[in-house]
């Protein structure tokens, strides 16, 4: 059933989501998702701190 969704079906779903949540709420959620991804990438790039007390 879900593998038959085409471009018109996706457009209808998008319109329904926008009507239900509103444009402002969706943009704030996307902003928070972007900030979370940025923080995640920043955390991955940092080298893990080694604890000198356990490295004996």
């Amino acid at each position: 059933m879900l593998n038959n969704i085409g471009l018109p079906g996706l457009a209808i779903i998008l319109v329904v989501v926008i009507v239900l949540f509103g444009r402002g709420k969706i943009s704030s959620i996307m902003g928070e998702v972007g900030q979370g991804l940025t923080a995640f990438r920043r955390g991955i790039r940092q080298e893990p701190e080694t604890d000198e007390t356990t490295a004996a």
Side-chain angles (χ1 to χ4, degrees):
M1 180 177 163
L2 290 178
N3 53 357
N4 292 334
I5 295 177
L7 188 59
L10 291 175
I12 291 172
I13 292 171
L14 181 64
V15 167
V16 168
V17 167
I18 289 174
V19 167
L20 288 177
F21 293 107
R23 220 176 62 189
K25 183 69 173 174
I26 292 174
S27 67
S28 69
I29 290 173
M30 288 296 120
E32 292 173 5
V33 168
Q35 288 176 354
L37 286 174
T38 303
F40 179 75
R41 288 184 193 149
R42 207 175 299 140
I44 288 178
R45 287 185 187 152
Q46 291 179 353
E47 293 182 18
E49 297 178 9
T50 58
D51 192 8
E52 294 179 7
T53 58
T54 59

